[in-house]
Amino acid sequence: MNFTQLLNRLSKYRNDKIVFVGLGNEIRGDDLAGLVFIDALKTKTVFNKSKFIIAGKNPENYLQEILISNPEVVVFIDAADWGGEPGDISFLDSDSIANGDFSTHAYSIKLVEKFLSLSRQMDFVYIGIQPQVTDFGKEMSLQVYHAIKEFFIEDEKK
């Protein structure tokens, strides 16, 4: 996946009706990837009216904030072990989320989706970043960090 594909996937939604939710744990190596990704995404003017939520390890704490935004789509971004190369960034389907591939948040993120869906109609998009290491106390790997930076640098070259 690249930045252009992200734009294409979200092009049917109004900019002010997109909510990005960054998930991750700062002290578990590449589990930080979702938070680094969302920080870079916030700088893109194409999403200047979108809502950005840094949910960390507790997305359930932000349900009301998401609902108040009245989104058309909620985009969850997190480290996800889906069998790619470290640093690969991909859209994930809801079924793979249900099977537990979406980092340490697999169970609660599906509950979050279910709760939000019961409250109002909205779509959900999952972006997974393949981690290299998610051990407690480890720093983010350079491979994953550089892959995220490259994702956004490619956009700037156009």
Side-chain angles (χ1 to χ4, degrees), residues 15-16 41-52:
N15 188 356
D16 63 338
L41 191 60
K42 286 194 290 191
T43 67
K44 298 299 175 188
T45 57
V46 68
F47 296 119
N48 64 344
K49 294 182 182 172
S50 299
K51 174 82 173 171
F52 295 91

Side-chain angles (χ1 to χ4, degrees), residues 1-11 15 18 20 36-48 50 52 75 77 87-91 125 127-129 147-158:
M1 178 175 112
N2 59 38
F3 190 74
T4 300
Q5 291 169 318
L6 176 63
L7 290 175
N8 290 340
R9 179 80 177 259
L10 299 178
S11 65
N15 188 356
I18 301 172
F20 293 99
V36 172
F37 188 96
I38 202 168
D39 278 342
L41 191 60
K42 286 194 290 191
T43 67
K44 298 299 175 188
T45 57
V46 68
F47 296 119
N48 64 344
S50 299
F52 295 91
V75 182
I77 307 159
D88 284 353
I89 300 169
S90 181
F91 292 112
V125 173
I127 297 173
I129 304 163
I148 293 169
K149 294 302 177 191
E150 184 67 26
F151 181 92
F152 292 100
I153 289 171
E154 285 301 313
D155 168 60
E156 294 168 5
K157 291 179 183 176
K158 296 176 184 174

Side-chain angles (χ1 to χ4, degrees), residues 81-119:
D81 187 2
W82 45 272
E85 293 295 318
D88 284 353
I89 300 169
S90 181
F91 292 112
L92 302 178
D93 63 30
S94 187
D95 291 339
S96 71
I97 304 305
N99 292 330
D101 297 338
F102 207 63
S103 189
T104 57
H105 318 282
Y107 183 69
S108 67
I109 205 64
K110 290 306 289 183
L111 287 176
V112 167
E113 178 184 331
K114 185 174 183 174
F115 177 85
L116 294 170
S117 294
L118 290 172
S119 299

